[in-house]
Amino acid sequence: MNKGRILLVDDEPAFRQLAQSWLQNSGYQVVTTADLTEARQQLQQFDADLILLDLSLPPQFNPQHTLQALPEFIARPVIILTGHAERQLALDAIALGAWDFIAKPVDPDLLAVVIKRALGKHQLEQELSQLKQQRQASNAVQRLIGVSPAMEAMRTLIQRIAPTDVRVLVTGPSGTGKEVVSRALHELSRRSEQAFVSVHCGAIPADLLESELFGYVKGAFTGADKDRPGLLKLADGGTLFLDEIGEMPLPMQVKLLRVLQEGTFFPVGGREQQKIDLRLISATNANLPQLVQKGLFREDLYYRIKGITLETVALSSRSQDIPLLLQFFLEQLSQQQGQRLKLDSTALSWFLQRDWPGNIRELKNTLESVAAVAQGGVISMADISLLHPEAGTPDATQVVTQTGVQLLDQAVQQLEIRMIKQALEQCNGNKSQAARQLGLSRQGLLKKIDRYQLAD
């Protein structure tokens, strides 16, 4: 049984042969090399779980030279083996990320224990990282709330394009969740561990936008008393989200286009070119093609940012999602206030029959305001009337009949059933994996499967 893959880097042929034989007899897959150059080449084709590294290697035979290369290899545990049993060397190695430091001649029993512990911890860290990524992915998808065809299509597209670096333009009316969509793209991407930097292009004065994006060097202008990195640099390796990009001034559009074309920029007042690697997601509620025709938005920049366009729709076009959104916001408020909140039937009907021109943002803010005046954890029409005197008493039956909207609990159940089926399908029926993807315990998933009669 293969207990793990080990790369042994040592210049002594006899030691390499002896150690390889012993490790292979212990169940490990072992590859050996004599120097750092060979080690780098081997790692391109042999994905080692652990490295045993001698410090005195050709051609320099200088322990400090090997230590300088150590950060290249610490994606997995590195155990230092050396005849230079000096305390400072050991401290330096550990400070640079080595797992342990063992002096030669090596005690096989000690080495066996150290290798076993190092591989065990490495495997645990990998599993925790995978669980974290699965939880992030699950949370990202769950925030895309709704069972309407528009939301189903949006989730499908996001899951397909998120792992790529294609540029995305998110369009749609104000308040429809364009930033939520953009964050989901980031959290499901390979850049999810890096920064998500959000910039509202219309909220920063035009004369400050360049220095905010590009940063500046000391002395670039009055008050620039030290170098300051810009938002572009902060997003390096991650995702830059330019909200309301249609409001970006034309001079800045020219400079942004250069960044997108070349991947480089100069800080304000600086002469040293800086390189960045980021994914761009833009959003706007404006009609960019119309702005292009009017000369208010550059055509070349438009085609640079619109790799794939995702369009969010008005809440009035997806009214069947309102119960789910209400449920989600009520759960958030319940956690914040420390008590369970719910809508009574007339209050629910009032929310369902309104037009919500401000879309999800207006729905959320209205719910928060009426929840603030409600008593006893139940939001009623009396509470709504305090803040909205014009509100009448809605006909719940008429509302449900006219819009086809299900009751809150029924809509939540429908969403849970769909997500459980999707997770089971993606995990090939493996309930433990599906539970982790959904952020549930295995027992919790089994209970829901039983409740909804989803068993095979």
Side-chain angles (χ1 to χ4, degrees):
M1 178 182 177
N2 181 14
K3 296 164 64 175
R5 298 177 299 275
I6 296 176
L7 177 64
L8 170 60
V9 188
D10 195 292
D11 68 311
E12 299 178 17
F15 178 77
R16 288 203 308 272
Q17 184 176 357
L18 181 64
Q20 182 178 28
S21 177
W22 178 79
L23 290 168
Q24 286 176 339
N25 289 337
S26 299
Y28 297 104
Q29 182 181 351
V30 184
V31 169
T32 67
T33 67
D35 56 49
L36 289 175
T37 301
E38 287 184 29
R40 294 183 180 101
Q41 293 172 350
Q42 284 291 350
L43 286 173
Q44 293 178 3
Q45 53 193 356
F46 179 72
D47 187 15
D49 299 310
L50 179 142
I51 297 176
L52 297 175
L53 179 65
D54 183 31
L55 282 185
S56 184
L57 295 171
Q60 290 86 359
F61 293 99
N62 182 348
Q64 291 298 331
H65 179 267
T66 306
L67 284 179
Q68 290 174 9
L70 188 58
E72 297 179 40
F73 304 109
I74 56 173
R76 72 277 291 166
V78 178
I79 299 173
I80 300 296
L81 306 176
T82 182
H84 300 269
E86 300 175 12
R87 181 173 182 272
Q88 190 58 49
L89 271 180
L91 291 175
D92 291 345
I94 299 301
L96 289 169
W99 168 264
D100 211 336
F101 187 100
I102 300 178
K104 291 181 177 179
V106 176
D107 180 344
D109 293 333
L110 173 62
L111 182 60
V113 172
V114 174
I115 288 176
K116 183 177 180 181
R117 290 182 60 192
L119 287 174
K121 184 174 185 294
H122 182 57
Q123 182 179 3
L124 180 61
E125 288 175 343
Q126 286 183 316
E127 290 175 352
L128 289 174
S129 177
Q130 290 173 356
L131 286 173
K132 182 179 178 182
Q133 290 175 357
Q134 290 172 351
R135 178 63 64 86
Q136 284 181 333
S138 176
N139 290 342
V141 173
Q142 287 177 359
R143 284 199 297 273
L144 300 169
I145 300 166
V147 292
S148 63
M151 287 307 299
E152 293 280 5
M154 180 68 74
R155 274 191 292 269
T156 299
L157 275 172
I158 287 174
Q159 289 175 319
R160 290 188 182 182
I161 66 177
T164 74
D165 269 346
V166 65
R167 290 169 186 155
V168 179
L169 175 63
V170 187
T171 64
S174 179
T176 51
K178 293 188 289 294
E179 184 165 355
V180 173
V181 168
S182 302
R183 286 187 179 275
L185 283 166
H186 171 73
E187 291 175 15
L188 292 170
S189 75
R190 62 181 178 86
R191 301 174 181 268
S192 60
E193 297 297 320
Q194 305 302 317
F196 177 87
V197 178
S198 178
V199 183
H200 194 298
C201 298
I204 302 175
D207 56 342
L208 297 180
L209 186 57
E210 181 178 3
S211 60
E212 285 294 312
L213 280 176
F214 294 92
Y216 53 80
V217 299
K218 181 178 179 181
F221 49 81
T222 303
D225 56 352
K226 61 180 179 180
D227 292 354
R228 181 184 175 188
L231 296 173
L232 283 175
K233 195 63 179 177
L234 294 179
D236 190 20
T239 301
L240 177 67
F241 174 55
L242 295 180
D243 196 10
E244 297 307 339
I245 194 171
E247 298 181 23
M248 178 176 284
L250 281 169
M252 270 304 304
Q253 292 180 29
V254 177
K255 295 176 180 179
L256 176 62
L257 181 63
R258 183 183 180 88
V259 174
L260 299 181
Q261 288 173 336
E262 302 179 5
T264 59
F265 69 96
F266 289 95
V268 176
R271 296 188 176 182
E272 183 176 344
Q273 194 174 51
Q274 297 190 13
K275 189 172 184 178
I276 53 169
D277 169 33
L278 54 79
R279 183 190 197 169
L280 178 68
I281 301 176
S282 310
T284 182
N285 62 7
N287 187 317
L288 289 187
Q290 287 185 1
L291 293 183
V292 168
Q293 291 179 356
K294 295 177 181 178
L296 300 176
F297 199 85
R298 292 185 62 94
E299 184 176 18
D300 45 7
L301 178 59
Y302 172 62
Y303 288 113
R304 280 282 179 180
I305 67 175
K306 73 173 295 289
I308 289 180
T309 300
L310 299 180
E311 184 176 2
T312 59
V313 301
L315 195 54
S316 58
S317 299
R318 43 180 287 225
S319 56
Q320 61 266 57
D321 294 337
I322 293 177
L324 293 174
L325 290 164
L326 290 170
Q327 175 79 3
F328 178 75
F329 295 141
L330 281 171
E331 289 176 356
Q332 286 186 328
L333 289 170
S334 296
Q335 292 177 359
Q336 294 169 9
Q337 297 186 14
Q339 67 167 342
R340 184 70 179 171
L341 291 172
K342 64 179 183 178
L343 293 161
D344 70 14
S345 59
T346 54
L348 173 60
S349 296
W350 182 81
F351 273 93
L352 295 179
Q353 74 181 73
R354 284 178 62 90
D355 291 333
W356 303 113
N359 296 297
I360 300 172
R361 184 181 295 121
E362 183 187 5
L363 176 73
K364 182 176 184 288
N365 291 341
T366 302
L367 182 63
E368 289 176 347
S369 63
V370 295
V373 301
Q375 296 180 325
V378 178
I379 300 172
S380 67
M381 275 305 302
D383 303 316
I384 293 173
S385 297
L386 288 173
L387 301 179
H388 301 272
E390 76 286 356
T393 302
D395 183 344
T397 303
Q398 184 182 19
V399 171
V400 172
T401 300
Q402 289 180 349
T403 65
V405 177
Q406 298 168 301
L407 293 178
L408 201 54
D409 288 343
Q410 292 174 317
V412 172
Q413 288 176 9
Q414 182 178 341
L415 180 62
E416 283 192 337
I417 290 171
R418 183 192 60 77
M419 294 187 69
I420 290 170
K421 287 182 176 179
Q422 185 180 56
L424 287 170
E425 181 179 348
Q426 292 175 350
C427 299
N428 296 319
N430 188 312
K431 295 182 176 63
S432 297
Q433 291 183 10
R436 286 196 296 268
Q437 182 172 317
L438 292 165
L440 300 171
S441 66
R442 189 175 191 278
Q443 192 62 32
L445 176 59
L446 291 176
K447 287 181 178 179
K448 289 183 181 293
I449 289 174
D450 182 61
R451 180 193 310 164
Y452 299 136
Q453 299 180 353
L454 299 177
D456 294 335

